[in-house]
Each structure stands twice: as C-alpha cells, then as structure tokens.
Amino acid sequence: MLERALSLPQAWTDDVGRCARAGMPPARALATKPPRARQRLERALDAAGPAAWVAGERVYGDHRQRRAW
C-alpha cells in the first residue's frame, strides 16, 4: 500500500491565482510534517488497509503525540 499526498511550498500555496489555475480548492491550509503524517495515517486506516506497524524517519517518526495516538 502506498499513501501519498501533494506537498507544495508555502510560496506556491500563498499565490491564490496560481492555486486557482491549478484547480486547488480555495480552502487550504499550510500543514507541517507531523499533521500531514497523521492525515495520511488516518486515510490509510480508514481504507482498512492491513497495517501491523508504521515506520517514520526523524521528523515523521519522532513526534510523541502522534506515536501516542
């Protein structure tokens, strides 16, 4: 299973015209790596994919609140 999401630099997401031309929804918010990781995990678990464990690197894996979740 592969869970993925588009990540864009803040300079791009701050450009409303660019986002509109790219078809991005008007309601969007900047999210740092830990919240994005939780969103991805939630989508994967909601899809009932098989998961016995989850691995993460330094930024994704070293977030105590998410690990406790």
Side-chain angles (χ1 to χ4, degrees), residues 6-57:
L6 179 63
S7 297
L8 298 171
Q10 186 174 3
W12 290 19
T13 58
D14 287 346
D15 185 340
V16 177
R18 181 182 211 158
C19 292
R21 290 188 303 277
M24 289 178 59
R28 61 195 179 283
L30 175 68
T32 59
K33 282 187 174 189
R36 288 191 336 237
R38 181 164 175 166
Q39 291 168 352
R40 291 173 181 172
L41 287 170
E42 286 173 342
R43 285 195 302 261
L45 295 173
D46 287 346
W53 53 270
V54 175
E57 42 88 295

Side-chain angles (χ1 to χ4, degrees), residues 50-68:
W53 53 270
V54 175
E57 42 88 295
R58 182 173 172 223
V59 174
Y60 286 107
D62 192 29
H63 191 267
R64 294 182 194 284
Q65 292 173 328
R66 187 182 46 264
R67 287 198 324 247

